[in-house]
Amino acid sequence: MARITLNNIRHSYLPNPKSDDDYALQRVHLDWDDGGAYALLGPSGCGKTTLLNIISGLLIPSEGQLLFDDQDVTALEPDERNIAQVFQFPVIYDTMTVRENLSFPLRNRGVDEETIATRVAEIAAMLELDSMLDKKAAGLTPDNKQKISLGRGLVRDDVNVIMFDEPLTVIDPHLKWKLRSKLKELHQKVNRTMIYVTHDQTEALTFADQVVVMNFGQVLQVGTPVELFERPTHTFVGHFIGSPGMNVLPASVVAGSVQIAGHTVDTASDIANLKQGTVEVGVRPEFVRFTDSGIPGAVETVMDVGRHTVVKVKLDGLDHSVNVIVDEGDDLPEGNVHLQFEPAQTRLYEDGWIVAETQG
Ligand code: ADP
Ligand code: MG
């Protein structure tokens, strides 16, 4: 096991990169603690696989160092790094049985047959592959093939880190839910560093203690699920996480107060910390209320999403709507309404980044 440090890593797939846009990873600095459960979350194309492949050694970064504990492993071959990686699609030997597939990573490293038998039995039971151990992999469903892939990643107990790159893509929704909780359970049992890559916030937030949110080749925030919800440090994080995500509205500062479409809004941020950038207000739908006075608008749509209702309000004089979450049983507004934002949960963003709060 090891602590993993990415020290100013940049990567471009181009031979002569010039601007930041030429880099799939712009500049990443991260510490992954030994034994942690991490998720790497971001939309398709943001650089997640590139980052994983740099850790596993399938890619050598254009710049920067990768450290395991304090050893520089940037130039080591993948098989010298002692890592397990599970890919999006099954990587297995079709002609081997399930048992042979699961045994392979251990046999390959000279583990004795008795230990192999014990480990394979444990992993097979966990993944519910025990009834098909002596079947050839070739005849199995895509689900089961991917479970073998997962098993091959989990079977060794001496790896520095286990990395999963969108491993549940080919798994059907019902089993997805089950495997997700299994992986979480397994992490708690073995306490090994695990990095789980996904574009799905639910998968990330249920699996990980710490979530790394990325977009456009940059790490935007590293935090617990609660931190990402309560205090997104970038508008992208606020918008990407939550359902629906944080409302982000254009704002201006007039005579020392923050205004949206001419209406004053109280926020937790300190306007003294503003520079000269583009200012926006961010507030989650959970923290917007219907009141008698406040920002005027008109109800556009009402959507029942089970535990609560999402009301979408088009703001007067602005080309923007605000989502409001109304709890089950509360009155649903119609027509013209006024909105108020909970000041403690309303923040300013400048050029996308959070504006610091008043020190109190
Ligand atoms: P993600 O896994 O988050 O979907 P990737 O790391 O696969 O993102 O890709 C990041 C960026 O790098 C994308 O713009 C993608 O098109 C580009 N990219 C990925 N792999 C290669 C490659 N082998 N050659 C050139 N460009 C690539
Ligand atoms: Mg990917």
Side-chain angles (χ1 to χ4, degrees), residues 116-328:
I116 293 179
T118 316
R119 287 294 294 161
V120 168
E122 270 171 32
I123 294 295
M126 190 197 90
L127 294 169
E128 294 173 19
L129 287 168
D130 31 4
S131 65
M132 52 190 93
L133 276 172
D134 294 310
K135 290 206 173 111
K136 285 262 194 284
L140 301 179
T141 60
D143 271 10
N144 283 326
K145 287 187 181 179
Q146 185 64 354
K147 286 206 281 180
I148 303 174
S149 242
L150 279 166
R152 286 164 49 90
L154 297 169
V155 76
R156 285 176 56 198
D157 61 5
D158 61 343
V159 292
N160 284 317
V161 52
I162 309 176
M163 305 195 296
F164 305 93
D165 194 351
E166 316 228 18
L168 305 183
T169 308
V170 296
I171 305 274
D172 82 48
H174 169 70
L175 193 61
K176 219 178 228 181
W177 188 86
K178 223 163 103 179
L179 280 181
R180 211 168 61 204
S181 8
K182 280 235 157 106
L183 288 177
K184 174 94 202 161
E185 209 182 287
L186 187 91
H187 176 263
Q188 281 158 351
K189 217 186 290 169
V190 301
N191 245 322
R192 191 134 7 116
T193 312
M194 293 189 183
I195 303 177
Y196 188 104
V197 168
T198 178
H199 62 273
D200 179 332
Q201 58 161 318
T202 312
E203 280 185 23
L205 300 175
T206 45
F207 175 76
D209 305 325
Q210 289 274 318
V211 180
V212 178
V213 186
M214 292 182 68
N215 197 19
F216 300 125
Q218 281 182 291
V219 171
L220 297 179
Q221 187 167 3
V222 183
T224 63
V226 170
E227 285 164 351
L228 299 178
F229 179 81
E230 288 188 345
R231 198 172 179 281
T233 56
H234 193 278
T235 49
F236 178 83
V237 177
H239 196 75
F240 197 67
I241 289 173
S243 47
M246 184 173 79
N247 296 295
V248 179
L249 302 164
S252 52
V253 177
V254 180
S257 67
V258 177
Q259 297 199 348
I260 295 174
H263 299 269
T264 300
V265 178
D266 288 333
T267 75
S269 301
D270 188 348
I271 57 173
N273 295 324
L274 283 169
K275 297 170 191 101
Q276 297 257 298
T278 304
V279 179
E280 290 166 303
V281 162
V283 61
R284 291 203 174 271
E286 286 83 352
F287 304 119
V288 184
R289 304 275 167 267
F290 292 101
T291 47
D292 295 335
S293 62
I295 307 170
V299 172
E300 217 171 28
T301 58
V302 175
M303 209 168 58
D304 189 342
V305 292
R307 282 161 295 127
H308 51 240
T309 305
V310 178
V311 179
K312 192 170 176 184
V313 176
K314 158 85 175 58
L315 298 186
D316 291 353
L318 270 191
D319 228 5
H320 284 78
S321 300
V322 172
N323 286 316
V324 186
I325 288 183
V326 179
D327 290 336
E328 210 174 24

Side-chain angles (χ1 to χ4, degrees), residues 26-44:
Q26 304 223 340
R27 190 171 296 281
V28 175
H29 201 94
L30 275 176
D31 274 309
W32 314 79
D33 284 333
D34 198 356
Y38 292 96
L40 200 51
L41 173 68
S44 175

Side-chain angles (χ1 to χ4, degrees), residues 13 24 42-51 165-166 197:
Y13 288 100
S44 175
C46 74
K48 304 182 297 294
T49 297
T50 303
L51 189 51
D165 194 351
E166 316 228 18
V197 168

